[in-house]
Amino acid sequence: MEQRELGKTGMKVFPLSFGASSLGGVFHSLKENEGIEAVHTAVEKGINFIDVSPYYGHLRAEIILGKALKNITRNSYYLSTKVGRYGKDGNNYWDYSAGRAVESVYESMERLNVDYIDLINVHDIEFADLDLVCNETLPALVELRDKGIVKHVGITNLTLRHFVYVIEHVPPGTVETVLSFCHFTLNDDSLVDYMDFFEQHGIGVINASPFSMGLLTERGAPDWHPAPEPLKILCKKAADFCRSKGKSIEKLAVQYSVSNPRIATTLFSTTRASSVINNIEWTNEPLDEELLEDIRRILKPRFRDTWLNS
């Protein structure tokens, strides 16, 4: 895989990166040792960017990832985590205050067994008062960046227009990256509408969830998936069509999501080493353009359908 630059951060990443949300049991149950093996396999096979959050599995993902990272040389990967969104005792909660953001960074470093974070993100800003993010959360993270505790600062979000508001209301260079999920996939490519804006501001773009949180898989979306039912039905139809042709919708989804060179990297998540290997191999194979057109026709009636974050 070729390397791509992540904005002006100086980080050179591969088109495919490891998202550790699955280590928290977000999508399906997992065995801890298998999750650790998946992380080791990803790094051994050349993946050099890993993303996680204290929210995933309500700390569990960071804890398991931290165990995996104990045995990996620190300079062989870039590590990304988040502040602002959390969970405890089965309940979600949000806290975008400066004090909590700073505490969260140090807590994450302890769980992850590292002494610095390459990229710290304000997590899912659509749940926050955006002015609070601009005036309190991000300045606190920039101060940590100035101290070298974190190397770079970014924001994550499902609702794309919120990126624009925040970037336009903070000093240039405050936001170095954005992480967008489910908006450059087989069923939704709306991220491309914002690429000129991001590039004009020197911001690197991370795409996440090539499988659209499970919609674009043979197994299908988890019960909690917030997508509208007509879209779920069409995605299942698309998966069935691929299967009938002896093809894999997962393979097509990954290949499509890494196909845009303007997007630095795409995060996928798994707890299985075999799936890590498959995803890397798929990335290195040519995209099946004929199959892509067939799937686009199936998904066209609900193309770019989205949902509210939950």
Side-chain angles (χ1 to χ4, degrees), residues 9 84 242:
T9 64
C242 287

Side-chain angles (χ1 to χ4, degrees), residues 198-210:
F198 296 140
E199 289 175 356
Q200 288 164 7
H201 289 78
I203 291 171
V205 178
I206 301 165
N207 176 42
S209 197

Side-chain angles (χ1 to χ4, degrees), residues 61-307:
E62 283 196 337
I63 292 170
I64 294 176
L65 180 58
K67 293 178 180 180
L69 295 179
K70 280 184 178 181
N71 300 312
I72 301 176
T73 304
R74 182 64 181 91
N75 63 5
S76 65
Y77 62 89
Y78 298 117
L79 181 60
S80 164
T81 191
K82 307 178 182 76
V83 303
R85 188 171 188 182
Y86 311 99
K88 185 177 181 180
D89 299 327
N91 296 311
N92 299 331
Y93 69 95
W94 296 260
D95 187 341
Y96 294 90
S97 66
R100 184 68 189 104
V102 172
E103 290 175 350
S104 184
V105 170
Y106 285 102
E107 290 168 359
S108 288
M109 288 195 297
E110 184 174 354
R111 285 189 291 269
L112 293 164
N113 294 302
V114 296
D115 55 11
Y116 68 92
I117 301 292
D118 295 286
L119 175 62
I120 192 69
N121 301 276
V122 185
H123 196 177
D124 287 351
I125 59 173
E126 63 262 54
F127 290 104
D129 177 334
L130 296 183
D131 290 322
L132 177 68
V133 170
C134 295
N135 299 321
E136 187 168 332
T137 324
L138 282 169
L141 298 181
V142 167
E143 187 172 336
L144 290 179
R145 183 176 67 188
D146 292 342
K147 294 177 179 178
I149 303 301
V150 303
K151 304 299 183 182
H152 306 284
V153 174
I155 52 179
T156 88
N157 193 28
L158 178 64
T159 307
L160 289 164
R161 68 180 184 276
H162 292 160
F163 287 129
V164 176
Y165 182 89
V166 171
I167 291 165
E168 289 183 336
H169 287 80
V170 295
T174 298
V175 176
E176 299 173 86
T177 67
V178 296
L179 191 163
S180 165
F181 60 103
C182 298
H183 285 310
F184 192 75
T185 64
L186 294 174
N187 58 287
D188 185 341
D189 68 351
S190 51
L191 180 58
V192 299
D193 293 351
Y194 293 79
M195 291 303 300
D196 286 347
F197 175 83
F198 296 140
E199 289 175 356
Q200 288 164 7
H201 289 78
I203 291 171
V205 178
I206 301 165
N207 176 42
S209 197
F211 308 130
S212 204
M213 293 162 46
L215 281 177
L216 302 169
T217 63
E218 290 194 4
R219 176 183 285 182
D223 292 340
W224 52 260
H225 201 293
E229 193 64 27
L231 176 58
K232 292 181 181 179
I233 292 170
L234 281 187
C235 287
K236 183 181 185 305
K237 183 178 179 181
D240 291 343
F241 178 86
C242 287
R243 190 184 308 113
S244 73
K245 298 293 183 180
K247 306 286 187 177
S248 163
I249 194 166
E250 289 95 339
K251 177 178 180 178
L252 185 68
V254 167
Q255 291 179 324
Y256 178 74
S257 288
V258 302
S259 66
N260 190 327
R262 300 174 76 186
I263 296 172
T265 195
T266 291
L267 301 171
F268 77 100
S269 191
T270 184
T271 59
R272 300 191 306 275
S274 59
S275 293
V276 172
I277 294 170
N278 285 340
N279 278 274
I280 293 172
E281 290 178 348
W282 293 340
T283 299
N284 290 322
E285 295 176 12
L287 179 64
D288 187 334
E289 297 288 352
E290 183 178 348
L291 181 62
L292 176 61
E293 289 306 311
D294 289 336
I295 296 305
R296 278 177 166 165
R297 280 192 290 271
I298 292 171
L299 296 175
K300 185 177 180 180
R302 310 297 298 198
F303 190 63
R304 288 197 173 189
D305 265 14
T306 189
W307 52 85

